[in-house]
Structures are given as structure tokens and as C-alpha cells.
């Protein structure tokens, strides 16, 4: 570009624009190839028979997962366009929580089609506009296919949650986890705001040991903590009155630096006594309100409890759980329907929460604290996830998160759609016929879009060890005959009516996958240069 | 006789032809770089940072691209600067100005090669620029009197600006957002009171305008989630104990109970401070620094909504829109100006909870909440929207409007051509060159859209020989169309700024006949 333009008659001269275009093509090509490499990497993990990836992170940790978002997140890609696909999967995770692999695979397939469109000389902006149109049309088609669902229809909700779980490592437990996810979400739906679910109201506690079978939904509160009972305090309290405190039961410590000057032996005795008295008076105040369970916020400045205070607390028959994270305080107080107490002077009975039972339960090698039968419990839920090793445990948590997201999607947009590649092949068919009535390049691009969507059933079949071409052509055939809900039944290895097989997913997952993938592809298409900057 | 050396070691000097060539080449390289982003079908660039994190930005905004470039060419820096100035002054046209300057230089280079003195070129360019400005002035439309038409003008301008950006698919929606926001400003160009919040998730269509102020913070535990007729105290104060700020200050005591007393005293101080704050008669307290657990509980007990750790931008803006002042001492309640608003409530956007202050004192204030698939999209959307807002706020003041789509360039080129014919002497070559440079803009727009630029521009020129023609390039259908019917408008102020600053920049670079690069300053060797 630095060559002087003296010899060129005008700015739009043939030679110059040719050189420019060459470079642009190259960059676009490089972007598309890089992005497709990312898509290919996760492609094999799609579907119920998809494979898992083992990722060994820089710090030596090993992760085994089937979750597209997690895989991409851990892959440290550098190429900018490849990075965009990683972002894409993150967005899908945020928007719908499930379908993170699907969205990347669709984007990859679209890019592949774009490459051939570009090479046939269609201007990228024309492709980009056509893709947008096609995506809009696709949403219409999907919405028309969708079946409305009621929140009271627990069966349908469970079905869609188990579809999501079926593709995960923990698929054999889907019968257990799916209803759990549904119950957890439904229990936090606020009747005043029926469309909104805050997944932060569902707390997942992981505990190593046992199997995934032992996973349970706890109506109450679970802490992955031990009861502090070094001095023999109670580990089980019935009719508990619970205080959440943000101060510490330990010798006083001022913000300003202080030191106590001891000059002789008798003074030392006195100081020890004073310390005892100080703590004792605090505990008396606590005891006076009838409180018998203390949850103490973690403090970096001083110990939450000392041996001494534990001793007195044990004597007063108060159960102590220490080191509750500050971030959890809001969740805890919401659940217990109590208020946090920041100062001993404010320790009043009305700030306490009430529960039928607080107990320490030993699970495998660890112990947890359970609070059950909470009076006036807030709209929160706890799920205790168990697993035989850390890898399974983590994967179980991710899978459960996906399932929760699926149910949340259904709460915010109450439509279901068939799974098993049925919507994609139907889209492909309808868009294909729509493309025929369009004029010019648009029609050509929409046709490519339609073809790209076939990647989903194709990959599903491929990952399941079926012959993808046979399956996809048969699927196309069935859809052409009007069987809108015909899809791939991976278990039986054939085409069946997928709705009858209970393979359903929320509409939101499909629509957001299509729109997000299209948006990302359009962005990649429009890039013609990579500039290195500060 | 040979002069030994005038300059220091490592300083270099380039003279005459060579110097001019270096600056031409640099400026044109920059112009060529951003050229492809011009127009509704312009392409985007990836900006890859070499710094930590290797962050990636995807953008179409000329100013953003140029701002972040590494440049080591003096002339190129001039172009980057004019684009920056254009961004600050009018907000849009940042690409156009660079491209026009680049084209002017490209033409000038040819003239220089044909042995025309740079000064002659400059004076020709000046005449041409003046003439072009006159041509535009004659054609401007001013609809300030008619509120209805004016509004539709604004919408059109917003749409035209947005159509070259990422928001183009939803440009109707965003044009309306931008116009609504700017109309609230009632003529002020202070964009401070329009707050843009970005929240990933949802799609661009879900973006909305909220009248009021939204703070991305959480309400403390156990405090009211909704307050009507709020009195707000905005503060920047430390809510822990006031410490003696001398290093090593310490207290010596001889018993544990005294330590407890000191602790008690510290608590008491906090309580006093909180009491003082409460005695202002407020029911909402926003602090820039942390509010610790203890004061938080005190506020909760008093039924006051306390928001901690609001960022500096946030509280300054909050103070501005609610009409309050930021306080940091609380001894004299009567001198502290409180902010007011009708309603404070917690709202949910996507997955996050935010706090909305509605019915604030300053009626102009509003918040635009952008939603989008990813951070890339959101950042780019913010830049685009910012451009649109800038242009609109400028247009509200200077309501003269032109058509877009290469129409103004054609008008100017035609007038400048006339002038060239009338002007005797060498200058006429320069004037002619100016008109060619102007024509380059519609050419590039057409090129970027993948259209046959030579054909289109020729057609356009033929159209413009008729009187009162509104023809411009219709990129969507790929033909020459009527800009009035298509509703493509641009602000006069933007076009004028593009024309004048591009000419000035070109002139400045043309005048250069020597580049002296100073020796880089040596770092002292501290060993």
C-alpha cells in the first residue's frame, strides 16, 4: 500500500483495487478458517451420543466436559475471529444456558457456506443481509412449530430438562436430576413476577463422595461447612433460632493499632480474666435473646471465634457455623427470613430466623450443615450435588446448571419445540422452498443458509455412529411428507416422531442459537482487515 | 564547502521531493486503511491489541480505528488528528474526513508531478473549498420552525448515521431511541446526562430508553427496595472509623477492658457519623466508598436505602441529575444540597438487578440500556449510538440539513467544476483536481457496496446536470435514486466540518518541504 500512487490514473483504478481485494479475501479466508477450526473442535460433543473432551489446563487441572461453553472457555484461542466464536458460545450460555455447542456448530456450518458464496463472487454485505433475513424467517418458522406449555405441566418441563441432560456425562441420572431442576426453578418463581427467574436464588452445593444418585434437593439451607464444635458444642439443634452475625466473638480488636502493656504477673491474670468476662458478656447477650444457632460471617481481620469463645458457646448450647462468605449473606438472610446483625448491641430477638432443625450431617468423608423446616422461608432453594470424584462432580454441576437454564427458558418463554434435529431439518426445508421465490443473490444465500442448518441432524447422526447421509436424506423425505416432528431417535438409531419420544427443548434455546450464530457470522463476514494496535 | 553537521546524532532530515513523497504516502496509506469502512456497506476491522490480554475490538468507526493505530509518519498523524477533532466536534464523519483529505493529497501529488507549485495548488484548493461551501449553503434545508418535519429530519439523520454501523438492522428502533434522547436535552449539547448502560444478553432490539437514572448497584440487605419521593444524599466519604493518618500511631493500654472501650468508641464514632447523615432527613444514601456491615445495619434500622461503592462516574452523574451535591462532611445539614427523585426501585435487566431513579429533577436525564449478544456487539453499538447522539445534538442547534448518499459531493463537484472553467491560470487545474477528489467519495461508497462505481458515478453526474436534482447512490438497490424519497439525510454541520478540515489538513501536508526527525531522547543511564 505504501507504493506511491503516481502511475495510477484515478483512485478506483483496476490494479489498485485488485491488490486491495486480494488482501481482503485473504483476511476473510483466514478468519473463516480459524473460526471453523474452533467449531470443528466442539462438533463431536453435540448430541446425546456426543463425546466428551478432556482439557488439561495450564495449572495442571483436568476437566472432563461435554459442555460447549466450558470447552471453548478453557481453550485459549488467540486468533481474533476464533475468539469471537468463543464469545458467541458465552452469549448463548448467558441467554439460554443450553445449546452452547449447537450455536457454535451452526456458526461453523454457516461460515463454510459463506466461503463458497464468497468464492462465487457475492459481495459480503449482500450475504450478510440475506443471512439476517433468513434468520428472521427462521424464527418465524420455529415459532410456528412450537407448542405452548404451561408451568403447571410438570411432565413437559421434566421432559425438556432431561433432553438437555441426556447429552451429558450424567445422562443416566437424568430421571433424577430433571425433576429436581424443575422443582428447584418452580420453587423460586415469584408469583408477582412470573416471567423472571433469578438462578442465583438456587444454590448448588457440591460435596465429594457418594454417587450422583445421592444428589438431593434440600428445602432449606445447606452449608459446605463443619459445625465448630472443638469445645464439644451441640451438632444438632431442634427449634432453632438462628442469628446471622457480622461481628466476631473474640477478644476486642480496634482499627487503630494497640498494644497492652503488662508490667507484672498479677496484671496478666487480670487481663486474662477480663478477656473471659468480655466474651462471656457477649455470649450472655446472645443467649438472652434465645438464640441457639450462630452463623458467623468470614472476617479477614480477626478470628471469628476463639477456643475460649467456643467453649462458652458450647456451654450455652449454641451451635456455631463460622466463615460464611460475605457474598452469601444476602442469600442466607433471604432464605432464613432474618436480618444480619452487625453489632452485639443490636442483637434482638426479632432479627432471628427460625427453623425446625439444624444439624450436622456427615457425608462420606466430609460434613455439611443442614437447616430444614425454616419458618417463612424465602424463595430460594438448595441443591446438594454428590459425585464419586471431583470430575464427575464438576460435570454434574455444569449439567444441572444447563438443566436449570432450560427450565428457566421455559418460564420466561413458554413454548416447547421438538428436539433431535427436527426443527433444523424443518427450517432447512421451509427456507429452501422460500429461497426459490426470492430474487437474485438473496435466494442463493438463503438456500445456503438452509443447507447449513442440516449440519445439526448430520452431526447428531454422525456422533451416534449412524450413517449421516442415509439419516439426513430420510429425515428430509419424512419432513417433505409433512411429518413436522420427525427427528433422529438416537437410542433406536432411526427416524421417529420425536415429540412422542419426549425429546423436547425450549423454543428460546433454538431461536437464540439461530439469531446469535447468524449475528456472529455476519460480524465475521464484514471484517476485511486485522489491524494491530496498542 | 561542506557543512559538517547541523543536527545531533540520529536526527534525520528529509528534503524537498523526498519529504513531500514521504508525507503523501503516509497520509494516503492511512486514508486507504479506513476507506473500506465508508458508507452503509462498509466493512469492519478487527483491532487486535498487542497489549496484555490481546483484546479484540470489532469496529466500523473511523475515529476508533485511527485512534488506536501505531503511527510513525508525521503526515499520517495529522490525518489521525483531524479525525479526532471531527469526532470531538461533530461526532460523525470521522472516516469521510480522512478519506477526503487522502483523495485531495492523491490529486495534489499528480499536480506536483506535473510541475505545479504546491502554493498554487493550495490557493486553488482554497478557492474550491470556499465555492463548495457556498454550493452547500444554497442547497440546505432548514426545518427548525416546523417541529413535526424537524423531528422527521432528525430521525432521517439518525438513520443515515446508523445505517453504516452495526445497528443498521434495527436502525428504525435506534433512530427513535436517539431522537427521543436528544429531544429531551432541549438544545443542550451536553451528552453527559444521557447515560448508556451495556448489558450482555438479549438482542439489540431489546435495547430501550428509560427516563431516569439507572445505577448498576445493589441495595443493601434488609433495606427498603422501593422509595417514593426520595431525598438522596450523594457522598464520598469513608464509612469506617476515622483513622489518625500518621503512620505508626498506636494506643497503649494496660487492660483488655480498655481495648474493648476503644473498640466501643470506634463503633460510637461510626454511629455518630451515621446519625449525622440520617439527620439530613434523607431516605436514600449513596456513597462512593464502601459502607461496612455496621453502618449498613444502622441504615437498615433507620429504613434508609444505602448504596455502597458506586463508581465515580456514577455518583457524579447521579448528583447531576438529581440536583444534589456530593458531600463529604456532614456537620452542617443546612449547607448540603440533597438530590430528589420521585421513585427509587429495583429493576431487573437480563440477569442483573439494578436500581432505577425515576422522576429526577433534571428532566433531560435519561438512560439508554443497550442489550446485545456479546461484548463486541455492545461496544460497537455504544460507539455507533454515540455517533448518532453527537450528530443529533449538533443538528438540534444547527438545524440545517442536507441529503446524503453522495448527493452533497455531487453538488459541490459540479459547482467546483464550473469554477474551474471560469478561473484563468494554473489554479484551475487544482480546482479541477478538487472536484475529482470530491467525486471519489461516492465512488468509494459504491465500490464498498460491490457496485459498478464508474457506471454509477457517471449516471449520477448526468442526473446532476438537471436543475434541483435529488439524486444520490441508493446502495440497497444498487442504482441511482432520489434521496428525498429514500429519506437519507445528513447534517450540514458534519459535511461542512468534513470539507473544511479535510482541505486544511491537505493544505498543511502540502506545504511541507522538509521533515526533520529529532533524535530520540536518550534515557539517562542510571547505573
Amino acid at each position: 500500500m505504501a507504493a506511491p500512487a503516481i502511475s495510477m490514473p484515478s483512485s478506483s483504478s483496476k490494479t489498485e483495487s485488485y491488490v486491495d481485494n486480494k488482501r481482503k479475501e485473504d483476511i476473510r479466508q483466514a478468519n473463516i478458517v480459524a473460526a471453523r477450526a474452533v467449531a470443528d473442535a466442539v462438533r463431536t460433543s453435540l448430541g446425546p451420543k456426543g463425546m466428551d473432551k478432556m482439557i488439561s489446563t495450564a495449572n495442571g487441572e483436568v476437566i472432563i466436559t461435554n459442555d460447549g461453553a466450558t470447552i471453548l472457555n478453557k481453550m485459549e484461542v488467540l486468533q481474533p475471529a476464533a475468539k469471537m466464536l468463543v464469545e458467541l458460545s458465552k452469549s448463548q450460555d448467558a441467554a439460554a444456558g443450553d445449546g452452547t455447542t449447537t450455536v457454535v456448530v451452526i456458526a461453523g456450518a454457516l461460515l463454510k457456506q459463506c466461503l463458497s458464496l464468497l468464492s462465487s463472487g457475492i459481495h459480503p454485505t449482500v450475504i450478510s443481509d440475506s443471512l439476517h433475513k433468513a434468520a428472521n424467517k427462521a424464527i418465524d418458522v420455529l415459532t410456528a412449530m412450537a407448542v405452548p406449555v404451561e408451568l403447571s405441566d410438570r411432565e413437559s418441563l421434566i421432559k425438556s430438562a432431561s433432553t438437555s441432560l441426556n447429552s451429558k456425562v450424567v445422562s443416566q441420572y437424568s430421571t433424577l436430576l430433571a425433576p429436581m431442576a424443575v422443582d428447584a426453578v418452580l420453587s423460586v418463581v415469584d408469583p408477582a413476577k412470573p416471567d423472571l427467574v433469578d438462578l442465583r436464588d438456587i444454590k448448588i452445593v457440591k460435596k465429594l463422595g457418594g454417587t450422583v444418585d445421592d444428589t438431593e434437593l434440600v428445602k432449606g439451607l445447606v452449608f459446605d461447612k463443619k459445625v465448630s464444635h472443638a469445645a464439644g458444642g451441640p451438632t444438632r439443634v431442634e427449634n432453632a433460632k438462628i442469628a446471622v452475625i457480622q461481628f466476631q466473638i473474640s477478644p476486642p480488636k480496634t482499627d487503630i493499632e494497640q498494644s497492652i502493656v503488662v508490667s507484672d504477673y498479677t496484671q496478666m491474670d487480670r487481663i486474662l480474666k477480663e478477656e473471659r468476662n468480655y466474651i462471656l458478656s457477649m455470649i450472655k447477650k446472645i443467649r438472652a435473646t434465645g438464640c441457639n444457632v450462630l452463623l458467623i460471617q468470614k472476617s479477614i481481620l480477626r478470628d471469628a471465634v476463639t477456643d475460649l469463645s467456643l467453649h462458652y458457646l458450647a456451654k450455652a448450647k449454641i451451635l456455631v457455623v463460622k466463615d460464611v462468605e460475605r457474598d452469601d449473606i444476602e442469600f442466607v438472610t433471604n432464605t432464613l427470613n432474618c436480618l444480619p446483625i452487625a453489632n452485639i448491641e443490636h442483637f434482638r430477638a426479632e432479627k432471628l430466623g427460625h427453623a425446625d432443625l439444624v444439624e450436622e450431617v456427615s457425608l462420606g468423608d466430609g460434613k455439611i450443615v443442614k437447616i430444614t423446616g425454616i419458618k417463612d422461608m424465602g424463595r430460594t432453594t438448595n441443591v446438594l450435588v454428590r459425585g464419586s470424584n471431583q470430575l464427575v462432580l464438576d460435570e454434574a454441576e455444569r449439567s444441572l446448571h444447563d438443566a436449570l437454564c432450560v427450565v428457566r427458558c421455559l418460564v420466561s418463554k413458554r413454548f416447547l419445540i421438538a428436539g433431535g434435529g427436527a426443527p433444523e431439518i424443518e427450517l432447512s426445508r421451509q427456507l429452501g422452498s422460500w429461497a426459490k421465490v426470492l430474487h437474485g443473490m438473496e435466494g442463493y444465500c438463503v438456500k445456503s443458509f438452509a443447507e447449513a442448518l442440516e449440519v445439526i441432524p448430520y452431526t447428531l447422526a454422525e456422533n451416534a455412529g449412524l450413517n449421516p447421509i442415509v439419516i439426513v436424506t430420510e429425515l428430509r423425505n419424512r419432513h417433505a411428507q409433512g411429518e413436522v416432528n420427525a427427528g433422529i431417535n438416537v437410542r433406536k438409531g432411526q427416524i421417529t416422531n420425536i415429540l412422542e419420544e419426549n425429546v423436547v427443548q425450549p423454543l428460546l434455546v433454538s431461536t437464540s442459537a439461530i439469531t446469535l450464530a447468524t449475528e456472529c457470522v455476519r460480524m465475521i463476514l464484514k471484517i476485511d482487515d486485522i489491524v494491530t494496535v496498542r | 564547502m561542506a557543512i559538517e553537521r547541523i543536527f545531533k546524532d540520529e536526527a534525520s532530515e528529509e528534503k524537498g521531493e523526498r519529504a513531500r513523497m514521504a508525507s503523501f504516502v503516509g497520509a494516503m496509506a492511512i486514508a486507504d486503511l479506513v476507506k473500506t469502512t465508508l458508507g452503509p456497506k462498509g466493512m469492519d476491522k478487527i483491532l487486535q491489541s498487542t497489549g496484555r490480554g490481546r483484546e479484540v475490538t470489532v469496529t466500523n468507526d473511523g475515529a476508533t480505528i485511527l485512534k488506536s493505530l501505531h503511527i510513525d509518519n508525521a503526515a499520517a498523524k495529522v490525518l489521525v488528528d483531524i479525525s479526532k477533532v471531527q469526532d470531538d466536534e461533530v461526532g460523525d464523519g470521522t472516516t469521510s474526513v480522512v478519506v477526503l483529505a487522502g483523495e485531495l493529497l492523491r490529486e495534489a501529488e499528480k499536480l506536483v508531478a506535473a510541475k505545479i507549485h504546491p502554493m498554487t495548488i493550495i490557493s486553488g484548493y482554497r478557492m474550491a473549498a470556499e465555492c463548495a461551501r457556498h454550493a452547500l449553503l444554497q442547497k440546505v434545508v432548514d426545518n427548525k420552525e416546523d417541529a413535526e418535519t424537524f423531528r422527521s429530519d432528525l430521525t432521517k439523520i439518525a438513520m443515515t448515521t446508523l445505517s453504516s454501523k452495526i445497528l443498521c438492522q434495527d436502525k428504525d428502533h435506534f433512530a427513535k431511541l436517539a431522537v427521543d434522547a436528544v429531544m429531551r436535552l432541549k438544545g443542550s449539547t451536553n451528552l453527559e446526562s444521557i447515560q448508556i448502560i451495556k448489558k450482555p444478553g438479549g438482542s439489540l432490539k431489546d435495547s430501550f430508553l428509560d427516563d431516569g437514572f439507572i445505577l448498576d448497584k445493589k441495595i443493601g440487605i434488609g433495606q427498603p427496595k422501593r422509595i417514593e419521593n426520595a431525598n438522596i444524599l450523594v457522598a464520598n466519604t469513608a464509612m469506617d472509623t476515622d483513622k489518625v493518618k500518621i503512620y505508626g500511631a498506636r494506643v497503649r493500654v494496660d487492660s483488655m477492658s480498655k481495648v474493648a472501650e476503644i473498640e466501643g468508641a470506634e463503633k460510637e464514632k461510626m454511629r455518630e457519623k451515621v446519625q449525622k447523615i440520617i439527620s439530613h432527613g434523607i431516605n436514600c444514601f449513596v456513597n462512593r466508598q464502601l459502607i461496612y456491615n455496621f453502618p449498613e445495619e444502622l441504615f437498615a434500622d433507620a429504613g434508609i436505602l444505602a448504596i455502597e461503592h458506586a463508581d465515580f462516574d456514577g455518583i457524579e452523574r447521579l448528583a447531576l441529575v438529581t440536583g444534589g451535591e456530593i458531600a463529604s462532611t456532614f456537620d452542617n445539614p443546612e449547607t448540603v444540597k440533597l438530590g430528589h427523585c420521585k421513585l427509587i426501585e429495583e429493576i431487573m435487566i437480563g440477569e442483573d438487578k439494578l436500581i432505577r431513579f425515576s422522576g429526577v429533577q433534571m428532566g433531560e436525564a435519561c438512560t439508554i440500556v443497550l442489550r446485545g449478544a456479546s461484548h463486541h456487539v455492545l461496544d460497537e453499538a455504544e460507539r455507533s449510538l454515540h455517533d448518532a447522539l453527537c450528530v443529533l445534538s449538533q443538528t438540534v442547534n444547527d438545524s440545517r440539513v442536507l441529503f446524503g448518499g453522495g448527493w452533497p459531493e455531487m453538488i459541490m463537484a459540479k459547482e467546483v467544476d464550473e469554477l474551474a472553467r471560469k478561473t484563468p491560470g494554473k489554479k484551475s487545474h487544482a480546482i479541477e483536481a478538487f472536484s475529482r477528489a470530491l467525486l471519489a467519495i461516492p465512488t468509494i461508497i459504491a465500490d464498498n457496496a460491490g457496485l459498478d462505481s464508474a457506471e454509477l458515478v457517471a449516471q449520477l453526474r448526468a442526473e446532476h446536470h438537471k436543475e434541483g436534482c435529488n439524486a444520490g447512490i441508493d446502495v440497497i438497490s444498487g442504482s441511482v435514486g432520489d434521496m428525498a424519497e429514500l429519506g437519507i439525510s445528513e447534517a450540514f454541520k458534519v459535511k461542512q466540518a468534513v470539507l473544511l478540515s479535510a482541505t486544511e489538513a491537505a493544505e498543511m501536508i502540502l506545504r511541507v518541504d522538509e521533515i526533520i526527525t529529532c533524535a530520540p531522547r536518550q534515557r539517562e543511564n542510571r547505573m
Side-chain angles (χ1 to χ4, degrees), chain B residues 330-346:
Chain B
F330 308 101
D331 292 328
N332 310 309
E334 54 288 346
T335 56
V336 173
K337 235 172 118 186
L338 296 180
H340 300 279
C341 80
K342 290 257 160 51
L343 178 68
I344 302 177
E345 61 183 337
E346 198 178 50

Side-chain angles (χ1 to χ4, degrees), chain B residues 142-161:
Chain B
D142 193 341
N143 285 326
K144 182 124 194 154
E145 307 310 315
D146 185 353
E148 195 70 9
T149 346
F150 184 51
R151 198 187 155 85
S152 88
D153 270 358
L154 283 182
T155 316
K156 277 182 203 162
I157 292 176
M159 296 240 269
T160 312
T161 307

Side-chain angles (χ1 to χ4, degrees), chain A residues 197-338:
Chain A
V197 178
D198 194 346
L199 282 189
R200 273 167 298 196
D201 288 341
I202 300 170
K203 191 172 157 198
I204 299 179
V205 178
K206 294 185 285 182
K207 194 73 192 163
L208 196 61
T211 57
V212 180
D213 260 334
D214 298 330
T215 302
E216 58 177 330
L217 187 73
V218 180
K219 279 267 163 215
L221 202 55
V222 177
F223 288 104
D224 184 9
K225 300 239 162 38
K226 275 190 241 174
V227 168
S228 306
H229 53 78
T235 54
R236 183 187 156 92
V237 173
E238 284 181 31
N239 284 327
K241 288 183 181 166
I242 307 163
V244 179
I245 60 171
Q246 294 176 311
F247 58 90
Q248 293 77 28
I249 305 177
S250 53
K253 189 174 171 189
T254 52
D255 279 346
I256 194 160
E257 219 176 320
Q258 38 97 358
S259 58
I260 305 175
V261 184
V262 183
S263 49
D264 66 45
Y265 181 75
T266 49
Q267 268 187 343
M268 206 167 117
D269 241 7
R270 191 163 54 98
I271 288 167
L272 285 176
K273 214 170 71 276
E274 269 172 3
E275 187 182 330
R276 272 206 291 275
N277 283 340
Y278 180 79
I279 290 172
L280 205 55
S281 71
M282 274 174 106
I283 290 168
K284 270 187 188 148
K285 273 180 200 151
I286 295 172
R287 190 66 207 152
T289 56
C291 162
N292 48 16
V293 175
L294 275 185
L295 307 177
I296 307 179
Q297 183 182 320
K298 195 171 190 170
S299 165
I300 46 168
L301 291 173
R302 48 203 266 201
D303 295 333
V305 281
T306 60
D307 287 344
L308 191 67
S309 57
L310 270 185
H311 173 74
Y312 285 124
L313 286 167
K315 272 195 175 166
K317 299 245 174 321
I318 295 176
L319 188 149
V320 181
V321 179
K322 61 176 185 179
D323 292 350
V324 179
E325 298 291 338
R326 191 180 181 198
D327 296 344
D328 289 343
I329 290 286
E330 188 173 358
F331 179 82
V332 170
T333 50
N334 269 348
T335 312
L336 292 174
N337 193 23
C338 65

